[in-house]
Amino acid sequence: QVQLVESGGGLVQAGGSLRLSCVASGSIFSISTMGWYRQAPGKQRELLASITSGERRNYSDSVTGRFTISRDNAKNTVFLQMNSLKPEDTAVYYCKLGLTLWPFLEYWGQGTQVTVSS
């Protein structure tokens, strides 16, 4: 069983920065694709950024140029550096681990709240 624990959320003013971390238990982190998602009240959960085991990165249009995803396989940790934050970035942020080998399981963290004040 894999457990993911996010941290680093909080309250920040518009234009500020936060760095989210997500630590995974177990031994499959290095062979998994990691993703950061967010869900605002009344909205669907959306994918923001992903990084493969080979460190190929993808970003949604809403965060390109402002957010950066990275990973440290030695520490089983994925990061999301968020700069130039906007009030519309306010949401609960989740990380997801996706095993890229059979049985292709997925695991989610419990989420961390990010609030951006104007």
Side-chain angles (χ1 to χ4, degrees):
Q1 184 72 11
V2 173
Q3 291 187 327
L4 303 175
V5 179
E6 300 102 333
S7 62
L11 174 64
V12 64
Q13 288 188 334
S17 298
L18 284 173
R19 189 191 195 204
L20 305 184
S21 300
C22 172
V23 181
S25 65
S27 58
I28 62 172
F29 179 86
S30 64
I31 59 172
S32 300
T33 292
M34 301 300 299
W36 283 100
Y37 294 71
R38 71 185 176 193
Q39 187 167 19
K43 295 187 177 181
Q44 290 187 333
R45 190 171 297 189
E46 63 169 323
L47 173 63
L48 303 176
S50 64
I51 183 167
T52 68
S53 58
E55 302 209 14
R56 181 182 303 172
R57 297 168 171 82
N58 282 292
Y59 298 94
S60 70
D61 290 343
S62 61
V63 304
T64 295
R66 299 190 299 126
F67 291 9
T68 302
I69 190 170
S70 60
R71 65 191 296 160
D72 184 340
N73 288 339
K75 297 182 179 179
N76 278 15
T77 302
V78 62
F79 304 96
L80 186 68
Q81 178 67 43
M82 306 187 296
N83 299 328
S84 303
L85 284 163
K86 306 174 183 179
E88 52 264 43
D89 293 319
T90 296
V92 179
Y93 284 67
Y94 300 88
C95 68
K96 187 185 83 169
L97 180 150
L99 184 61
T100 55
L101 302 173
W102 187 90
F104 304 107
L105 298 175
E106 294 183 345
Y107 300 91
W108 290 88
Q110 82 289 348
T112 185
Q113 176 70 45
V114 171
T115 303
V116 184
S117 63
S118 57

